[in-house]
Amino acid sequence: MVLAEPPLRGAAVRFLRRSTAAAALLASTLAPCLAAAAPDTPVPHAKPPAEPSDDAPPAAPPPDAPPAAPPDAPPAALVPPTPLTPLGADYPAGAHGDATVRLVLTINADGSVRSAVAEDGVEPFASAAVAAATAFRFAPATRNGAPVAARIRVEVRFTEAASPAPPDASAAAPPGASAPAPERPATAAGPAPSAPRPIEVTVHGEQPAPGVSSLSRGEVRIVPGAFGDPFRALEMLPGVTPIVSGLPFFYVRGSPPGNVGYFLDGIRVPYLYHLGLGPSVVHPGIVDRVDLYPGGYPARHGRYAGGIVSGETTQPLPYWHGEGMLRLVDVGGLVEGPFAGDRGIALVGGRYSYTALLLSLAAPEVTLDYWDYQARLSYEVVPGDRVSLFAFGAHDFLASDEDGEMTTLFDTTFHRLDLRYDHTYGQGSSLRGALTLGHDETGIGDGQKALTRTVGARLSLAHRLRDETTIRAGIDAVVDDNELDLGSDADDAPGDVPPDDDDDVPVDDLLLSRVDLTVGGYIESDIAITPRLRITPGLRLDLYHSDDTVALAVDPRLSARLSLGRGVTFVQAHGIASQLPSFVVPIPGFRPRLKDGLQRSFQSSAGIELALPEDITATVSVFHNAFFNMTDALGSLGLESVEDAFTLRALGAATGVELSAHRRLTRRIGGFASYTLSRSTRSIGRSRQLSSFDRTHVANVALTYDLGRGYRAGGRFVFYSGLPQRIGGATLPPISGVPGGAGSLASGAPRWERLPPFFRLDVRLEKRWSIGKAGWLAVVLDVLNATLSKETMPGMCDAFSSCEPTTFGPVTVPNFGLEGGF
């Protein structure tokens, strides 16, 4: 995005100019050289299941095992496997209704699950059951006291209604579901005269929060144009609009990027993916799923007045597995395996980009680098108790040579270290305590940088009562030590920032070295009022202390689900959310002062969820978000001068309708479609305008097709309405009492017009080979913007000047890579 040339003053203003100009630089000189993709992996938690056979091969008995019976001996009685761990699975996010999945499990002689195959069941329940089954542990089957491999059938029942399944298996089957399999003998090495009963597993699924959109690893790895990355696939969800291609920031239901929170396992992260159309800052092999809460989210999520993006990592897996990739611009991998007799599990992964080597040939004046890493150690102290240490971080650097002088456009590094202790008890109850350390550093250029060092502690409880009511509660505290180094003289007092020569106002009116303290807690409960109606009331309290200013946030939440009939559910979500003042985008150390108060929003939505034939789910939702005392420098451009926009406090509103339809992409023919019709406004006093990043129409349509023999093809169509562009300047005087006000939108006010819309087509082709029982190798071609479409962005201007739009691109990224795993 190229900005106009207003008189930008202050280090913060210069940094915004450089960081947004980075997008235009990428589009015009780097796009043909940049390729980003994330490795494809099998469904999380599961090795690719081996094809079922009539009998499982026998395992070698241990040295002290009794001698095996001679070949002519009569058949020995078989003792079937006995579960050692809870046999359960999470209710699939976004699914609806009850379902029964019949699995065929091959149990090794050491009690581990060699393979899990869904014999009967519909998606997404079948994939959820298979993924969970590979982590089951058993006391192995035995014959004459010797452990042997065996095969059993189990039924996993997913119940959406919050009532325990009756003991009678046949009575528990939902209407239209297949009847439980009759008792059949478990086969092993030799005939088995006795037939163990099938193991019946009932899964009491947690209801998804109303309005939440979830993406599983199995699906996002094949979304065209997302490069197999869970976070990159977010942009196809309803209500999400990226600022511009190449920058990892979004508008969500009208809320600006600085008001959208990004979390991984409850740990706050500053941004989602690398610059230059790079992959996510977290290796996708460790991401189980990504949830988008566009508004009205549960009380356990807070401190952001916009949406919440919450990623969950995979559970530690007690077997060796890994994956790797080699692409045009980077290389990476991930490996995980057990130690200490399977009580401990270690994981390490990361990626490194050698983009600079290629750019030196095509664009020697540009430097672009990124890397990321992940490491996790977990140890089962006692059954049900596990201690874990999780570390991850990322770095992005972009600079250009201007007249022989290297200018930094983006330079950010972050690290996280999370020590946690998890205790599980009962069925579906858990307690977690965690301590988190963080370090964020942003280079602003000219030797200037902003630092944020974080120490946080949290305690969370999820307790399920006998009547299936779930209570969640938690408390936490976070200390952010913000240090701003703008190159002040050594004689300056600590924390003081000298005024810029070009500015009439000290920079510290916007930025200040300080320590921020936030302490809060929440409580919520999922309550069944009737078998058809469930409500989730919640309350969140947060106390903020920053720059000698104290603010209290009291944020109530309420959501409800009402079953109107088979396959039809009415959902609604309402709540108040509060947040500290925010910068244009979530950059460490950049935050307006709290002296002007918290940002607040009222978020409300209601809709219908439909379970349609052919395993298609659809949603229709309406939403209205109201924003108060908000800081949105980008969306409020035109109401104030560019300099004042950073500390501007405005009112805002966003209203719209969201439509979506989804057939699981891992099916032979899968698809996803979403459409958002919305209007977003900003106002100060009597001055009111469209948000500078308002897009009336946003649509995504994705289709994937399994061609067989390891071939899969897919395409995705993306469409955005053009952004509003100011034509002419204001002629009316400023509003009394509003410094720098833009004047009324009456006669003589500036005119607005829509810039050209943007559309693109992404395509993906893959050929995959299976290697052995669990290995795989794939060649992937994933093309972002195969239509070579260009994007038009408005110029940056204030209330008294017009500016010209900028067209850049095409940003087309053909990604070709070799990926594999075991």
Side-chain angles (χ1 to χ4, degrees), residues 53 181 528:
S53 58

Side-chain angles (χ1 to χ4, degrees), residues 618-800:
T619 62
V620 180
S621 302
V622 296
F623 70 87
H624 176 74
N625 290 352
F627 307 104
F628 306 94
N629 204 35
M630 72 182 305
T631 52
D632 180 16
L634 289 180
S636 301
L637 290 175
L639 288 171
E640 284 284 1
S641 65
V642 175
E643 293 90 340
D644 294 333
F646 290 101
T647 55
L648 172 72
R649 294 303 183 98
L651 298 177
T655 304
V657 179
E658 298 171 347
L659 309 175
S660 70
H662 178 205
R663 189 172 195 261
R664 194 169 177 84
L665 298 178
T666 52
R667 301 291 298 270
R668 180 168 187 136
I669 300 179
F672 185 94
S674 66
Y675 168 71
T676 302
L677 172 67
S678 65
R679 175 61 56 90
S680 182
T681 61
R682 300 290 183 265
S683 63
I684 298 179
R686 291 175 297 164
S687 297
R688 185 171 180 268
Q689 69 176 35
L690 287 175
S691 167
S692 300
F693 279 80
D694 172 74
R695 297 188 190 270
T696 305
H697 308 281
V698 178
N700 284 266
V701 178
L703 182 68
T704 63
Y705 182 61
D706 187 350
L707 302 171
R709 295 183 176 272
Y711 290 94
R712 181 179 287 272
R716 178 167 62 133
F717 176 78
V718 181
F719 173 84
Y720 304 146
S721 289
L723 294 172
Q725 170 67 63
R726 175 185 295 277
I727 304 297
T731 59
L732 295 183
I735 300 173
S736 176
V738 181
S744 169
L745 295 183
S747 173
R751 296 180 295 107
W752 297 81
E753 69 176 17
R754 287 282 176 182
L755 297 177
F758 173 77
F759 68 91
R760 75 169 194 256
L761 177 66
D762 306 331
V763 296
R764 186 180 191 277
L765 301 173
E766 176 189 6
K767 168 58 178 174
R768 177 179 290 258
W769 296 270
S770 295
I771 302 176
K773 296 180 179 179
W776 58 277
L777 183 68
V779 175
V780 179
L781 175 64
D782 203 346
V783 181
L784 177 75
N785 192 17
T787 49
L788 305 180
S789 301
K790 298 182 178 182
E791 190 168 0
T792 303
M793 301 295 296
M796 181 178 289
C797 51
D798 57 31
F800 302 97

Side-chain angles (χ1 to χ4, degrees), residues 232-253:
R232 276 207 166 271
L234 281 174
E235 68 175 66
M236 75 176 188
L237 297 179
V240 177
T241 304
I243 292 181
V244 62
S245 298
L247 291 180
F249 306 113
F250 305 90
Y251 272 79
V252 178
R253 285 186 177 176

Side-chain angles (χ1 to χ4, degrees), residues 301-390:
H301 301 291
R303 299 177 183 167
Y304 284 91
I308 295 289
V309 177
S310 177
E312 296 294 331
T313 62
T314 59
Q315 293 296 319
L317 303 180
Y319 56 83
W320 283 98
H321 67 103
E323 59 186 62
M325 53 82 174
L326 178 64
R327 304 183 303 193
L328 294 177
V329 296
D330 61 9
V331 62
L334 179 146
V335 64
E336 183 177 37
F339 65 91
D342 290 354
R343 296 183 64 181
I345 301 173
L347 176 147
V348 62
R351 282 170 296 195
Y352 176 76
S353 171
Y354 38 81
T355 315
L357 299 178
L358 298 179
L359 291 180
S360 62
L361 301 177
E365 73 282 2
V366 176
T367 301
L368 173 65
D369 288 307
Y370 63 80
W371 50 255
D372 59 65
Y373 69 91
Q374 305 81 38
R376 183 175 66 188
L377 283 174
S378 65
Y379 186 80
E380 185 180 46
V381 181
V382 296
D385 285 30
R386 181 173 290 272
V387 61
S388 302
L389 184 64
F390 182 30

